[in-house]
Structure formats: C-alpha cells, structure tokens
Amino acid sequence: MKKIIFFFILGFYTNIFGQKLTSGFVYLDSIEKTIRVELRYLNNNNFIGKPIDGYYKNRVIVTYKTAIALKKIQQILIKKGLSLKIFDAYRPQQSVNHFVRWAKVLDDTLMKAKYYPKVSKSKLFKQGYIASKSGHTRGSTVDLTIVNLKTGEELNMGSPFDFFGEQSHPFYKKISIIERKNRMLLRKVMIENGFKPYDNEWWHFTLKNEPFPKTYFNFPIK
C-alpha cells in the first residue's frame, strides 16, 4: 500500500512539475520564478518557422549552477525595474539535429527575410550559424535579453534574437547609442556574475566552469 501511495505522489509531482531530470539539471522556475520565458523553438517564431524537435513546454531547463547564477542576476535587475527574459537555454541534441537537417534543405527559406536576409542559406554552416554540436546541449548556455518591468517591453538591442548577420555582433557600431547601452548593460551584468559572452551574438552567454563541458544531452524539454 505504501509503495502505491509513493508512486502516486511521484506521478502527481512529475505531472505538475515536469519530467524527472538528469542529475545536475533543474527547472529554472524551481529556483527563480520571476524570470520571463519565451522559448522560441517551441513555436513558429524562429529562423526555421516551425516548432523544433525536443521542445514540448515553455519551461527553461538549465544546470543547477546556471540557475543559481541567473537568480543572482535577476535579483540585481529587479532592483532596477528590469527582468531577464530567456529565449533558449538547455537544448536537446535532437533539436540541434533538426537545425542541421533544415540547413541542408536549401530551398526551405520560409523565414529568410526576417532572420537571415543577407546570408545565403548554403553558407550557414561555413559562417558558423549552424553546427552539429551546440553549447546549449550541455545545459549551461542561455540566450536572453532584458525586459522593462513597467512597460513589459524588451529593451531595444539593435537586432532581434537569432538574427544571422553582423548586426548581431555585440560591438556592432551601426546602431543607436541607446541600443549599444542596452547591449552593454546585459553583457556587463552577465560577465560580472559568472558568464562568458559569445563574439557573434549579443544574447548568448555560457557559464564559466560549466559542470558538463564535454557532455551533450538529449532529453526533451517537457
């Protein structure tokens, strides 16, 4: 009888709070509930234009160490009337495989005008926009921006998330002073709290001393 009750409670917990995660991983909202989340690969609003394999729920999964660092950053921003907003975090290998398959189908350019207007799809691999392995799959990389809590609007960063082009480089000069200031605000708070930036994307940061530097996971987001 006790075993039945235990498994009932375990099943109820899993249904409410999600799947049982690999050791070292957590749902971010179990650590910090106030961070905004819009997982772009869950729906059609992404560079492919379709939901991506492995994404089933709008819920962020990261390593525990990453969650603690993001919580600290969020507490700093809230005092300024701001909040983090996450577009992507842990990404299953099956999702990366989906990107790779899509990149090889050269006539599938549904979202080209919005996400890669000046880049030939045939060059996405060569120029590093698509790869067979991603740091996201190790669980300690996040794609994110900052939101104004009063207006609910994202700060203008000079280019949209996942825009393939020079305009997304953190130090791109042909944007406004306010846009550069917003990028540097995000960059500064992330670096000061344990993350390292990526040279080609203002939104992309990886936790220094990540716990799984050579392991690429493949459990789904649900």
Side-chain angles (χ1 to χ4, degrees):
M1 184 65 178
K2 289 183 179 179
K3 286 185 177 180
I4 294 175
I5 293 173
F6 171 78
F7 285 115
F8 173 80
I9 293 173
L10 179 62
F12 176 78
Y13 179 88
T14 300
N15 287 335
I16 296 299
F17 297 105
Q19 65 185 318
K20 184 178 180 181
L21 297 176
T22 297
S23 179
F25 283 78
V26 296
Y27 289 102
L28 179 59
D29 58 13
S30 71
I31 303 296
E32 173 54 69
K33 297 181 183 298
T34 65
I35 293 176
R36 308 291 178 92
V37 176
E38 184 190 348
L39 295 184
R40 290 288 188 86
Y41 303 137
L42 182 65
N43 54 47
N44 297 331
N45 187 17
N46 57 63
F47 65 88
I48 289 182
K50 298 177 182 178
I52 304 304
D53 293 352
Y55 287 79
Y56 298 98
K57 195 168 186 179
N58 190 47
R59 198 171 183 195
V60 168
I61 297 172
V62 287
T63 59
Y64 175 76
K65 289 183 178 181
T66 302
I68 295 301
L70 291 172
K71 178 181 177 69
K72 183 178 179 181
I73 293 167
Q74 179 71 349
Q75 292 171 342
I76 292 170
L77 291 177
I78 284 178
K79 293 177 181 178
K80 302 176 183 291
L82 303 170
S83 171
L84 291 175
K85 180 178 180 179
I86 295 179
F87 298 121
D88 196 33
Y90 162 72
R91 179 188 305 163
Q93 182 61 43
Q94 60 191 287
S95 310
V96 177
N97 295 343
H98 190 165
F99 293 168
V100 172
R101 290 196 306 273
W102 168 83
K104 293 178 179 178
V105 182
L106 298 183
D107 60 350
D108 183 356
T109 55
L110 178 65
M111 303 300 284
K112 180 175 176 58
K114 182 175 181 179
Y115 287 99
Y116 51 107
K118 297 182 179 180
V119 180
S120 170
K121 189 175 180 182
S122 64
K123 296 181 180 179
L124 292 180
F125 278 108
K126 185 176 181 180
Q127 295 187 16
Y129 296 112
I130 301 291
S132 60
K133 294 291 184 180
S134 169
H136 282 276
T137 309
R138 302 193 299 263
S140 296
T141 293
V142 289
D143 293 337
L144 73 182
T145 191
I146 296 176
V147 172
N148 183 313
L149 287 175
K150 186 175 182 179
T151 65
E153 298 293 325
E154 297 173 18
L155 301 190
N156 191 338
M157 296 292 183
S159 74
F161 163 66
D162 253 2
F163 183 83
F164 297 166
E166 187 180 2
Q167 190 175 339
S168 292
H169 295 182
F171 296 102
Y172 181 71
K173 297 184 181 300
K174 297 179 182 179
I175 56 176
S176 72
I177 293 175
I178 292 177
E179 290 163 349
R180 286 200 298 271
K181 181 180 177 181
N182 290 339
R183 287 187 181 191
M184 291 307 105
L185 172 62
L186 176 61
R187 186 180 180 90
K188 183 174 185 291
V189 74
M190 295 298 291
I191 290 174
E192 289 180 349
N193 290 280
F195 288 86
K196 54 186 177 182
Y198 177 50
D199 290 342
N200 294 332
E201 298 170 349
W202 59 259
W203 57 80
H204 181 115
F205 297 87
T206 299
L207 187 71
K208 295 177 182 177
N209 301 316
E210 56 182 307
F212 304 109
K214 296 182 180 180
T215 305
Y216 296 85
F217 295 88
N218 195 32
F219 56 88
I221 299 170
K222 63 181 182 179

